[in-house]
């Protein structure tokens, strides 16, 4: 297939998906009964209809839905996500405060999951049928069957409550000042449990995919040919097996990007991690539309961009495309 | 494994439409399944979980503890903290003095009562769409495949939270029973996998001799789809049902954990774990967390093992292990 055509098609689809995401999220959330004005008014102890109407006007909630969507899309283009109903601060500021924590958590977990998943999966496949394979597969089956939020709570119970080794919540020790270096250490210690919990689940998935993929490639004719012509096993492994086995893993890992963000909502809830996932949940509970829509837009954009990047990576990694050209 | 190789050749015969081997195929299948270790272990665990769900009222009756009944005098200490496992409360009590064992067993009912209909509904919808997409091919297929790709790119939890927020009035009370909405949302997120699988299977079959033969004798499209293609792909789809079910069980627990799924006081493993977390009482009474957690783990692991066994036997190209 023509590489450029393939990638252009994927890019066009990414834009289409993104537009669909904006419209769908907006429409769904606009349909939600009970808007921010009534929530705010209720909180301030004033159920006075005139007051609610005034609030609705201030927040732009009394205009028609298409009008609101148009205003919203225009402001998105300027990266203006509006004010948070609850905090009366620009939404973009609130998210910017929280985004680094989520990126730190998800990227650490993702790198750990991908690295150990591919390594352990390859080892399991190389020794397929052995005791080592059984043990590794067992570990993968176990972590895959444990829901994230439960694994997290169990980790807290074991490492924080019983063993008292690691902190169980937050990102920093409250009231702990000190040098930059001790701050980094403090955050790192707080990161271990949430990142491991999130990472182990995805490690289990990547391990399964890697094992299956490597076993599949090992069975192919070109590997047999490589062996027959006497190539060194290490070379066959790197150049023939791993490179081909990586392809489904790239696709799979990118498809999991959205799930990883969903997983961070759970992990941030369990570990009181001050990130965007927890923020999305709070925004939903408080019906803070601007905030929630902005988070949806940003996470969807991230997912779409990751998927697109994976398509580029796939083209770069696929040896078959070079041969066909 | 000779029986699997034999099975593969029998499967080919069935694919080619030799109906007379179907009976021997069934007995061969059963024998191969029972010889498969993951199938036996999985079936054992599922049997255990199902028995627990069915016997929940019996256990509640034996212990004399209703599922939402609070025993503040006997199950809570003077400080108001839940007791650990005792003879009367085998898995201890929760923060409200309710029996964790009884609630965990009833949780199995809720879990299965949501995941099974949701997965089945997704299977029916996804298979129907996949059949149409794969059989008609061409433009219809391209449109459907694009739609499936777009649907698959929505992150489950974030989207589910936004959909569930629709089901809440100004007073915070839900319009429709949350359990029903959870079933529909899980269906919405899992039909795509069935559609993709079915489309792939139909794509291969629509050029096979059995379909060509049916076309030659002038069978209608609907007849070919229903009578020739569907029976041949049904076993694979049913296996995939067992693959998808544990994912959906976790999905229900996740939504209930986040407080948008099954609502208290009805017990669900998800909302029980949420309660344990919210009150931090699991740090004193670990069974408050372990009870529903282990039940959830067992159920999911059981279905995963069972479906792995089914796939090992039914797909001869797959390496066992």
């Amino acid at each position: 297939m023509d590489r450029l055509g393939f990638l252009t098609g994927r890019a066009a689809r990414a834009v289409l998906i993104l537009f669909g995401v904006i419209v769908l999220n907006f429409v769904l959330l606009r349909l939600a009964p009970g808007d921010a004005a009534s929530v705010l008014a209720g909180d301030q102890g004033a159920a006075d209809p005139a007051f609610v109407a005034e609030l609705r006007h201030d927040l732009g909630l009394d205009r028609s839905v298409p009008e609101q969507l148009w205003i919203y899309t225009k402001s998105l283009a300027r990266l203006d996500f509006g004010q948070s109903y609850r905090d009366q601060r620009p939404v973009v500021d609130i998210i910017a405060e929280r985004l680094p924590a989520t990126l730190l958590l998800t990227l650490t977990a993702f790198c750990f999951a991908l690295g150990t998943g591919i390594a352990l999966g390859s080892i399991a496949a190389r020794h397929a049928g052995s005791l080592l394979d059984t043990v590794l597969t067992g570990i993968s089956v176990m972590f895959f069957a444990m829901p994230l939020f439960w694994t997290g709570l169990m980790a807290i119970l074991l490492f924080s409550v019983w063993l008292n080794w690691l902190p169980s919540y937050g990102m920093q020790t409250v009231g702990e000042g000190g040098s930059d270096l001790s701050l980094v250490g403090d955050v790192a210690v707080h990161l271990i449990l949430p990142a491991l919990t999130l990472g182990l689940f995805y490690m289990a998935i990547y391990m399964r995919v890697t094992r299956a993929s490597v076993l599949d490639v090992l069975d192919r004719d070109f590997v047999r040919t490589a062996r027959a012509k006497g190539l060194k096993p290490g070379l066959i492994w790197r150049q023939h097996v791993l490179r081909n086995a990586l392809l489904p893993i790239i696709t799979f890992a990118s498809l999991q990007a959205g799930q990883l963000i969903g997983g961070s909502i759970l992990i941030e809830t369990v570990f009181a991690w001050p990130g965007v996932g927890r923020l999305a949940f709070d925004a939903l509970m408080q019906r803070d539309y601007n905030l929630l829509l902005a988070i949806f837009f940003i996470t969807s954009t991230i997912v779409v961009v990751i998927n697109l990047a994976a398509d580029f990576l796939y083209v770069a990694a696929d040896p078959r495309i070079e041969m066909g050209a | 494994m000779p029986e699997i190789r034999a099975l593969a050749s029998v499967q080919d015969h069935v694919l080619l439409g030799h109906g007379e081997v179907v009976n021997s195929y069934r007995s061969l299948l059963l024998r191969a399944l029972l010889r498969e270790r993951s199938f036996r272990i999985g079936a054992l665990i599922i049997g255990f979980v199902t028995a627990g769900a069915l016997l929940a009222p019996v256990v509640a009756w034996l212990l004399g503890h209703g599922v939402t009944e609070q025993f503040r005098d006997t199950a809570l200490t003077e400080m108001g903290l839940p007791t650990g496992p005792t003879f009367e409360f085998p898995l201890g009590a929760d923060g409200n003095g309710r029996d964790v064992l009884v609630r965990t067993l009833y949780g199995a009912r809720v879990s299965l009562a949501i995941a099974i209909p949701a997965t089945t509904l997704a299977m029916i919808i996804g298979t129907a769409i996949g059949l149409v997409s794969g059989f008609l091919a061409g433009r219809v297929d391209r449109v459907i495949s694009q739609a499936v790709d777009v649907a698959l790119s929505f992150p489950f939890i974030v989207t589910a939270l936004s959909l569930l927020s629709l089901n809440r009035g100004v007073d915070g009370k839900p319009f429709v029973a949350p359990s029903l909405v959870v079933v529909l949302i899980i269906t919405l997120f899992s039909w795509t996998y069935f559609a993709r699988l079915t489309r792939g299977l139909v794509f291969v079959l629509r050029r096979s001799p059995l379909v060509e033969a049916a076309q030659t004798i002038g069978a209608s499209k609907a007849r070919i789809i229903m009578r020739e293609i569907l029976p041949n792909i049904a076993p694979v789809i049913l296996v995939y049902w067992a693959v998808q079910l544990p994912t959906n069980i976790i999905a229900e627990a996740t939504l209930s954990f986040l407080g948008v799924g099954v609502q208290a006081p009805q017990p669900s493993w998800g909302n029980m774990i949420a309660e344990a977390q919210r009150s931090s009482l699991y740090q004193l009474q670990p069974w408050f967390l372990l009870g529903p957690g282990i039940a959830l783990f067992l159920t999911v692991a059981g279905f995963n093992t069972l479906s792995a066994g089914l796939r090992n036997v039914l797909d001869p190209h797959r390496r066992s292990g």
Side-chain angles (χ1 to χ4, degrees), chain A residues 9-22:
Chain A
R10 287 305 170 108
R13 202 179 75 185
V15 173
L16 194 75
I17 291 174
L18 210 52
F19 181 69
V21 165
I22 299 174

Side-chain angles (χ1 to χ4, degrees), chain B residues 1-310:
Chain B
M1 271 177 246
E3 73 269 28
I4 290 183
R5 233 169 283 136
L7 195 63
S9 75
V10 176
Q11 219 172 13
D12 287 342
H13 282 289
V14 175
L15 280 178
L16 293 168
H18 299 304
E20 70 271 16
V21 292
V22 164
N23 280 332
S24 60
Y25 172 64
R26 286 212 180 114
S27 67
L28 201 59
L29 176 68
L30 196 67
R31 242 182 297 155
L33 279 177
L34 288 177
R35 224 171 276 182
E36 171 71 33
R37 197 167 49 129
S38 0
F39 180 82
R40 289 200 309 266
I41 296 174
L44 198 71
I45 300 175
I46 299 307
F48 181 69
V49 172
T50 315
L54 291 175
L55 294 176
V58 177
V59 175
W61 175 74
L62 282 176
L63 288 168
H65 297 157
V67 64
T68 54
E69 240 176 309
Q70 302 185 356
F71 299 90
R72 290 181 172 274
D73 299 335
T74 48
L76 300 180
T77 62
E78 282 170 13
M79 309 274 287
L81 301 172
T83 59
T86 59
F87 189 68
E88 203 198 335
F89 294 90
L91 290 185
D94 69 5
N96 289 314
R98 293 174 296 195
D99 190 315
V100 171
L101 176 67
V102 170
R103 288 180 69 76
T104 302
L105 291 177
Y106 271 96
R109 301 183 142 211
V110 172
S111 187
L112 295 176
I114 287 181
I116 290 177
T119 313
T120 311
L121 205 58
M123 179 179 76
I124 295 170
I125 296 171
T127 306
I129 292 176
L131 279 169
V132 171
S133 175
F135 190 72
L136 295 184
R139 192 176 294 162
V140 177
D141 175 52
R142 275 199 296 279
V143 171
I144 293 179
S145 297
Q146 281 286 343
V148 168
D149 278 353
V150 172
L152 276 171
S153 63
F154 278 85
F156 170 68
I157 296 179
V158 191
T159 316
L161 283 182
S162 82
L163 286 169
L164 279 158
S165 75
L166 286 177
N167 187 29
R168 212 155 24 122
V170 182
D171 55 355
K173 285 200 181 123
F175 292 128
V176 191
S179 315
L180 184 66
V181 186
V182 170
V183 169
L184 294 178
I185 284 184
I186 295 177
T187 306
L188 188 70
F189 273 91
S190 40
W191 69 268
T192 44
Y193 299 102
F194 287 100
R196 263 200 178 171
L197 175 74
T198 307
R199 174 186 174 272
L201 293 168
V202 175
F203 241 80
V204 177
L205 267 184
R206 62 191 282 268
R207 293 264 169 264
S208 66
L210 88 137
V211 171
E212 277 169 7
Q215 277 166 338
T216 322
I217 58 168
S220 67
K221 279 180 182 165
R223 193 194 148 89
I224 294 175
I225 290 178
M226 295 308 290
R227 299 291 298 270
E228 310 293 341
I229 294 181
L230 190 58
N232 277 304
I233 62 170
V236 185
I237 292 171
L238 285 173
V239 171
Y240 195 74
W241 181 89
V243 174
Q244 189 61 37
L245 187 69
T247 310
N248 290 349
I249 288 174
I250 291 191
E252 179 276 319
T254 303
L255 295 177
S256 299
F257 173 75
L258 288 172
V260 289
V262 176
Q263 301 294 311
Q266 193 185 19
S268 133
W269 294 332
N271 72 25
M272 285 175 77
I273 294 173
E275 227 175 286
Q277 191 226 350
R278 225 179 4 250
S279 61
S280 289
L281 285 172
Y282 71 94
Q283 302 186 359
L284 292 166
Q285 209 290 75
W287 286 101
F288 190 2
L289 175 66
L290 286 170
I294 290 174
L296 190 49
F297 172 73
L298 267 184
T299 312
V300 172
F303 275 110
N304 282 341
T305 316
L306 181 90
S307 57
L310 281 173

Side-chain angles (χ1 to χ4, degrees), chain A residues 13 16-17 20-21 24-25 28-29 31-34 38 128 134 137 141-147 149-150 153-154 156-157 161-162 168 201 208 211 215 218-219 255 258-259 261-263 265-266 269-271 280-281 284-285 287 292 296 299-300 303 307, chain B residues 37 146 149-150 152-159 161-163 165-172 175 193 196 247 250 253-254 257-260 269-270 273-274 276-277 282-284 286 289-290 292-294 296-297 300-301 304-305 311 317-321:
Chain A
R13 202 179 75 185
L16 194 75
I17 291 174
V21 165
L24 191 73
N25 281 332
L28 281 177
L29 288 157
L31 286 173
S38 54
T134 312
T137 307
V141 167
M142 189 180 83
F143 281 112
F144 185 62
M146 283 164 61
F149 53 94
W150 186 61
L153 288 169
M154 289 304 292
I156 292 178
L157 193 62
V161 180
W162 288 343
S168 65
F201 180 77
R208 282 162 67 121
R211 183 180 177 278
L215 279 180
L218 279 176
D219 239 11
L255 281 175
Q259 313 303 330
I261 288 173
I265 294 190
L266 293 170
T269 307
V270 169
F271 290 96
F281 184 69
L284 179 93
M285 289 299 151
R287 298 186 207 126
L292 196 54
F296 280 156
T299 46
S300 311
V303 171
N307 286 340
Chain B
R37 197 167 49 129
Q146 281 286 343
D149 278 353
V150 172
L152 276 171
S153 63
F154 278 85
F156 170 68
I157 296 179
V158 191
T159 316
L161 283 182
S162 82
L163 286 169
S165 75
L166 286 177
N167 187 29
R168 212 155 24 122
V170 182
D171 55 355
F175 292 128
Y193 299 102
R196 263 200 178 171
T247 310
I250 291 191
T254 303
F257 173 75
L258 288 172
V260 289
W269 294 332
I273 294 173
Q277 191 226 350
Y282 71 94
Q283 302 186 359
L284 292 166
L289 175 66
L290 286 170
I294 290 174
L296 190 49
F297 172 73
V300 172
N304 282 341
T305 316
R311 272 186 301 179
H317 303 298
R318 203 182 130 98
R319 287 215 194 179
S320 61

Side-chain angles (χ1 to χ4, degrees), chain A residues 241-262:
Chain A
V241 179
L242 271 188
R243 194 163 174 200
N244 282 287
L246 274 178
L247 294 174
I249 302 166
I250 293 175
T251 312
F252 196 79
S254 83
L255 281 175
Q256 291 287 325
Q259 313 303 330
L260 198 67
I261 288 173

Side-chain angles (χ1 to χ4, degrees), chain A residues 154-219:
Chain A
M154 289 304 292
I156 292 178
L157 193 62
L158 185 61
F159 294 107
S160 303
V161 180
W162 288 343
L163 295 172
N164 203 12
W165 286 353
L166 292 164
S168 65
Y169 67 92
M171 200 171 150
Q172 285 164 39
T173 311
V174 180
E176 191 106 320
S179 64
D180 288 349
L181 200 65
S182 72
L183 183 71
V184 170
D186 192 36
V187 172
V189 168
H190 280 81
L191 182 64
I192 294 175
L193 280 188
L196 264 188
T197 308
L198 191 58
L200 281 172
F201 180 77
Y202 289 95
M203 178 200 82
I205 299 179
Y206 297 145
M207 216 168 115
R208 282 162 67 121
V209 176
T210 307
R211 183 180 177 278
S213 175
V214 168
L215 279 180
D216 183 47
V217 173
L218 279 176
D219 239 11

